[in-house]
Amino acid sequence: MAKAKLVKQIKLQIEAGKATPQPPVGTVLGPAGVNLGEFCTKFNEATRDKMGDVLPVVINVYEDRTFDFVVKTPPAPFLIKRAAKINKGGTKGKNEIVGTITKEQLREIAETKLPDLNCSTVEAAMNTIAGTALNMGIKVED
């Protein structure tokens, strides 16, 4: 049997293992006709091993009210802040250094993010992540 026609694609960022029918999940998925309890159960089960991470998720809603979803890797700023052990990036970009990360931490973040980046090598991903870190006021040390 063919899959029903895609009617909506929704993108959210939800903390792993903690999806609930309350806002923001409920207010976005409810009007789309998605079964909130079913989504929350499936999402929490799929992300249980990544507890504590904020994960982007792309939800495809079909005309028969079925859905599927794809969980992406955590956002680069989230991973950078965690590696630098800070709560917030700098407000003035590279003019205000608020933390540092090592090359090894940068490589680790780049390897984690590689599937979701438009880079073909880890080195290119490292350059992308280093640029994000610099704009957040985080210095990369050798």
Side-chain angles (χ1 to χ4, degrees):
M1 187 171 123
K3 192 92 168 158
K5 183 180 167 193
L6 178 70
V7 291
K8 198 168 201 173
Q9 191 173 60
I10 301 167
K11 296 178 182 180
L12 290 172
Q13 287 191 5
I14 308 169
E15 193 170 338
K18 294 189 178 179
T20 63
Q22 278 104 22
V25 178
T27 53
V28 175
L29 298 183
V34 173
N35 180 331
L36 295 173
E38 183 183 356
F39 171 77
C40 291
T41 303
K42 286 183 176 181
F43 178 83
N44 291 340
E45 186 65 36
T47 60
R48 182 165 288 135
D49 60 330
K50 296 178 179 124
M51 290 294 268
D53 290 358
V54 174
L55 301 172
V57 60
V58 178
I59 306 150
N60 296 314
V61 183
Y62 300 96
E63 63 186 356
D64 62 356
R65 292 187 165 196
T66 58
F67 66 91
D68 58 24
F69 62 90
V70 177
V71 179
K72 304 282 188 172
T73 58
F78 174 81
L79 296 172
I80 293 166
K81 286 188 293 187
R82 185 170 64 190
K85 296 179 176 64
I86 60 172
N87 292 325
K88 189 175 165 188
T91 55
K92 297 178 182 162
K94 65 181 179 182
N95 297 324
E96 177 188 17
I97 303 298
V98 295
T100 58
I101 60 173
T102 64
K103 278 270 202 229
E104 292 80 34
Q105 289 173 313
L106 180 68
R107 178 174 283 281
E108 205 174 286
I109 294 168
E111 288 169 352
T112 301
K113 287 295 298 171
L114 192 60
D116 290 343
L117 294 175
N118 58 354
C119 303
S120 56
T121 65
V122 174
E123 288 71 25
M126 285 174 68
N127 287 336
T128 302
I129 302 299
T132 302
L134 189 59
N135 283 331
M136 293 173 63
I138 297 171
K139 185 178 175 187
V140 178
E141 294 183 334
D142 287 332

